[in-house]
Structure formats: C-alpha cells, structure tokens
Amino acid sequence: METTPPVPRAVLVGIQTPDIDDVAHEASLEELGRLVKTLGYEVVGSVSQKREGTGAASLLGAGKLEELAALTGGSGVVTSMATPPMTKARKRFETTPDTPRPSSPEPDPDAPPRPEFVIVDHELSPSQIRNLERATGAQVLDRTGVIVEIFHRHANTREAKLQVEMARLKYVAPRLRESGTGGGRQQGPGAGESHLDLDRRKIRDRLAELKTQLEAVQRDSDQRRSARRDQLRVALVGYTNAGKSSLMRALTGSQVLVQDKLFATLDTTVRTLQPETRPRVLVSDTVGFIKQLPHDLVASFRSTLSEALEASLLLFVVDASDPTYEAQLEVSRSVLREIGADTVPSRLVLNKMDRVDATRRAALLEKHPDAIMLSAHAPEDVSALRETIIAFFEAEMVDDVLVLPYAKQKLIGEIYESARVLSEDHDETGRVLKVRALPGAMARLRRSLAAG
C-alpha cells in the first residue's frame, strides 16, 4: 500500500519597515502564505519584526532569530562554517575516553515534525540565506525563490517553459555555493576550475542555449500575432487571482483553467468573444502580476506580455473585495509601463463585487466613477461588459462601400472576417458591400481588392 509523502512544513518570516503600515504588512504575509500553499507546503507559523531595513546579516534581531530557531529546531546562532582550530588541550579532552560527553535530549516521538523550510517575505542576498540556514537548521527560500519555483511548476507551453528556466537559472546562479566537501579543482577538461566555477559555466552555457531556442519560438509567436494585427483584440490584465480566468471563461465560453490559486495559469490564452461578432473580437488572458515580481521574470515574459502591448483595449481586472486592491492595481500598471503598454486604451474592471457590501460599493463608485463593476459569475454583468467592449470598437470603426468584382469572389470570406457587412447588393460589376470596420482593416481590404 502506497503511503502519501508528508507535506513539507514552512514558517513565514516578515520584516515591517517604517514605510509599510500594519494592513499592508499583514496582507503581504497573507499573500506569501498563499504562494507557499500553491507550492504544496503547509504554513505552520510565522515570525514578524519591525526593523529599519532588511539589510542585516541575519535579517532578524537576535531575539527574533532565537524565536524562529525554536520553531525549526535550530541553534539560533549564526555559526561559522570553518572548522574550529584543535588546540592541544581540546585534543586531549576530546580523545580522553573517560570524559563524559553532554547528551542531547531525546526527540519526543509524539511531537509534530519540525518545519523544514523558512520562507522570507523579501528578497535575500546569498549571505543572508546562508546565515539564516545556519541559525535555523532549515532550508531558506525568499519571496523571489518561491515565485520562480511556482512559475517553473506551472509553465505548460514550450515558450513559457523556456522563459521560466532562464529566469530560474538567473536566480540560482549568484546563490550557488561550494559543497560541504570543499571546492576541489577539476582534472582533465576545465582543469583548474573549482566545482563552483564549473557549475557557473554550465549555467552560462545553458542560458545561451535557451536564449537561442527562445528566439526561434518567439519568431513563430510574432508571426501569429502579426496575422491578428488588424483584428479587434482585448487583453485581460491584472494582479494574480483577481478573477481574469473566470472572466475569460464567462466572456468566451472557453474551458480555461479556473482555480482559487496564485499563478494557476501562466500561458496566454486567446479566444473569441461569444456570442461571436462581425468582425470578431479576440480576448486574451495574460499572466497575472504580483508584488515584487522578479525582474528576470518580467523580462522573460516580455513576449507573452506583448499580447497586452498589441491589444486595442486593456481591461484592468481588480479584486474589489481585497483591501489592498489599489496597491495591486499599481503593481499591474507598473509592469505594463515597463514593457511600454501604458499607452494602450484601458478600462478598470472591479471584479468580485458580489463579495462587497453596499457601503464599500458606494465608496468604490465615488472613487472610480468610470469603472466597470461586476461579478464574473453574474451573467447579466458579463453581458453588460460584452456590450461595453463592442461599443468601444464601434466608436473606432468607419463605414465604407466595397465593390467586389465577380472575378474576385474568393475574397468574400476575408471581408466577412474583417468587417461587419451592413448591406449587400449586386450590379453588373460585382457585389456592392456596405461595410463597417476599423480603419486599418478597411485599408487592408482595399489593398487586397486592388491586388487580388
């Protein structure tokens, strides 16, 4: 009979600096807990401390470090990795058989297992990670490490897997350390390199290989996006777990993955707005953002986020029931500014309004009078959003008359695909179509008629 492996246990650590209030600090720790649960770990405790900054060698003060070590079974002291010198007196003491040795207490078999992980709500330097591991006896991960690991596990498409592996290697490279057996030199090829040097060179080589592979994949993605350039495109953007995938499913009827989990989906999904319109409206669900999103992940996902950059309309989806929604919205806007998508027309969508009481609803309406308030689970709200999307594109469209000669009837499908046909008639030259389309699509159709 197979036994279920034990769930890894973790303790959260947070530092509250003077620029962070109590609400934001608690929300950040709660979000870290959800990230850790997404990894499949169990959160069994937390340690928090107010400090001026996060630059201390062991992050925490001595008292809090001991408190953390008491949870993990560590010494609470940052010990040196160097072997202490063996004096003559110490040597005699340790080799005398009659000298009684201090005995360590027997572990309590009924006590719950100690946490194996310490998860810190900040980005740590390699030396801080080493110091905390020595003091706690547990494996230490920082917030960036947790996010990178989640991305690594959830990437599905080839492009996402390549992007995440690059970001993961860039995160791991400066945190490599020599093994406990020492940093001996290599023999043969690469002679003179330590094990650490060899590992770093392997990472550099792998990064170069991944970059080449990713460029080839992205060329294919660029070609697919180019083919959709004249189509009407809406991109759902926003903080992770704001309800983008639920809204995507409601707008398009697609069976995209919907889970109450951070970063449940990483790959951009493109589907047609339903009921289908003419011309078609494409809706894309992009990767969610999060506070302190590692810069290398933003850089790696630049191609994926191009769906937002090349969209005609951005819908900023926000969890209106979250007290820190404004900070989350600023995170989303900041990332999009970084890739140059801040110039794309946008609308604010306050989602999960079914979880908001009347008082908060009134306050939100006063603060964001132009926002679209809805619940992705309310069909009437989704229908109203669909009409808003269509109205946005209608305002950009122009009416024109196209004459399709009988010899060029093969282009009729392209016309119906790219424009809305308002009326159709026939004369001696061919079909006379009164159409409505975006200016760019209209120009492309006229070029096809001239050359077809």
Side-chain angles (χ1 to χ4, degrees), residues 159-173:
E159 183 175 9
K161 288 178 179 178
L162 291 172
Q163 289 168 329
V164 171
E165 187 179 352
M166 286 183 69
R168 196 178 190 216
L169 289 175
K170 288 177 182 178
Y171 173 78
V172 167

Side-chain angles (χ1 to χ4, degrees), residues 99-150:
T99 304
R101 302 285 182 107
S103 59
S104 56
E106 290 291 326
D108 182 358
D110 297 325
R114 299 280 191 181
E116 306 100 311
F117 291 90
V118 169
I119 314 288
V120 180
D121 194 25
H122 309 278
E123 186 164 355
L124 300 177
S125 67
S127 61
Q128 285 177 315
I129 292 177
R130 286 194 297 270
N131 290 338
L132 281 172
E133 287 184 343
R134 292 176 202 163
T136 62
Q139 184 175 339
V140 175
L141 286 175
D142 61 8
R143 185 184 182 93
T144 300
V146 171
I147 294 173
V148 169
E149 182 60 27
I150 291 173

Side-chain angles (χ1 to χ4, degrees), residues 169-246:
L169 289 175
K170 288 177 182 178
Y171 173 78
V172 167
R175 291 164 175 81
L176 289 175
R177 65 190 80 173
E178 293 287 7
S179 64
T181 56
R185 301 289 169 177
Q186 295 293 306
Q187 305 296 321
E193 286 186 324
S194 68
H195 290 289
L196 184 60
D197 293 333
L198 183 61
D199 288 341
R200 285 175 174 161
R201 182 161 59 82
K202 286 179 179 177
I203 286 179
R204 287 195 300 271
D205 293 345
R206 179 59 178 159
L207 281 170
E209 180 184 353
L210 288 170
K211 184 179 178 182
T212 301
Q213 294 178 16
L214 186 58
E215 286 172 349
V217 172
Q218 288 178 342
R219 280 194 295 272
D220 293 338
S221 299
D222 290 343
Q223 289 173 359
R224 287 194 298 272
R225 276 194 294 273
S226 178
R228 301 196 300 262
R229 186 153 292 159
D230 291 330
Q231 292 181 309
L232 314 184
R233 289 187 289 173
V234 179
L236 305 180
V237 296
Y239 212 74
T240 183
N241 211 46
K244 296 187 304 301
S245 294
S246 295

Side-chain angles (χ1 to χ4, degrees), residues 133-422:
E133 287 184 343
R134 292 176 202 163
T136 62
Q139 184 175 339
V140 175
L141 286 175
D142 61 8
R143 185 184 182 93
T144 300
V146 171
I147 294 173
V148 169
E149 182 60 27
I150 291 173
F151 272 59
H152 173 69
R153 294 187 186 184
H154 288 190
N156 290 317
T157 65
R158 176 167 170 75
E159 183 175 9
K161 288 178 179 178
L162 291 172
Q163 289 168 329
V164 171
E165 187 179 352
M166 286 183 69
R168 196 178 190 216
L169 289 175
K170 288 177 182 178
Y171 173 78
V172 167
R175 291 164 175 81
L176 289 175
R177 65 190 80 173
E178 293 287 7
S179 64
T181 56
R185 301 289 169 177
Q186 295 293 306
Q187 305 296 321
E193 286 186 324
S194 68
H195 290 289
L196 184 60
D197 293 333
L198 183 61
D199 288 341
R200 285 175 174 161
R201 182 161 59 82
K202 286 179 179 177
I203 286 179
R204 287 195 300 271
D205 293 345
R206 179 59 178 159
L207 281 170
E209 180 184 353
L210 288 170
K211 184 179 178 182
T212 301
Q213 294 178 16
L214 186 58
E215 286 172 349
V217 172
Q218 288 178 342
R219 280 194 295 272
D220 293 338
S221 299
D222 290 343
Q223 289 173 359
R224 287 194 298 272
R225 276 194 294 273
S226 178
R228 301 196 300 262
R229 186 153 292 159
D230 291 330
Q231 292 181 309
L232 314 184
R233 289 187 289 173
V234 179
L236 305 180
V237 296
Y239 212 74
T240 183
N241 211 46
K244 296 187 304 301
S245 294
S246 295
L247 194 55
M248 175 77 169
R249 173 178 282 193
L251 284 170
T252 65
S254 60
Q255 297 301 307
V256 295
L257 178 65
V258 177
Q259 289 185 345
D260 186 17
K261 185 182 289 186
L262 301 186
F263 299 115
T265 53
L266 295 181
D267 305 299
T268 297
T269 305
V270 181
R271 296 289 186 270
T272 305
L273 182 68
Q274 297 293 334
E276 195 166 328
T277 61
R278 281 290 181 265
R280 289 192 310 168
V281 176
L282 300 180
V283 184
S284 60
D285 176 18
T286 59
V287 62
F289 306 129
I290 197 168
K291 180 171 68 76
Q292 299 176 36
L293 186 66
H295 179 77
D296 284 328
L297 280 178
V298 176
S300 294
F301 275 82
R302 193 173 299 270
S303 172
T304 304
L305 294 174
S306 291
E307 290 290 346
L309 183 62
E310 297 173 7
S312 313
L313 175 66
L314 296 182
L315 294 181
F316 280 94
V317 184
V318 173
D319 179 358
S321 66
D322 194 308
T324 62
Y325 80 93
E326 289 184 277
Q328 295 180 359
L329 178 58
E330 179 51 36
V331 167
S332 302
R333 286 177 168 158
S334 175
V335 173
L336 290 172
R337 275 196 299 271
E338 190 171 337
I339 66 167
D342 53 324
T343 59
V344 179
S346 65
R347 292 291 304 273
L348 176 62
V349 177
L350 297 178
N351 191 24
K352 304 188 183 181
M353 292 299 293
D354 52 321
R355 303 182 185 179
V356 175
D357 59 30
T359 303
R360 182 166 171 79
R361 178 184 286 266
L364 288 168
L365 184 60
E366 182 179 358
K367 191 158 194 172
H368 307 285
D370 297 326
I372 302 166
M373 297 186 176
L374 55 76
S375 166
H377 301 295
E380 62 277 12
D381 289 353
V382 175
S383 179
L385 176 60
R386 179 182 179 276
E387 293 305 316
T388 301
I389 293 171
I390 293 172
F392 170 83
F393 288 116
E394 286 278 359
E396 302 289 318
M397 291 182 184
V398 295
D399 290 358
D400 205 344
V401 175
L402 299 177
V403 177
L404 179 63
Y406 290 116
K408 298 181 179 179
Q409 293 302 303
K410 64 180 181 180
L411 295 177
I412 189 65
E414 183 180 348
I415 292 175
Y416 271 89
E417 183 71 25
S418 304
R420 181 180 306 168
V421 178
L422 303 177

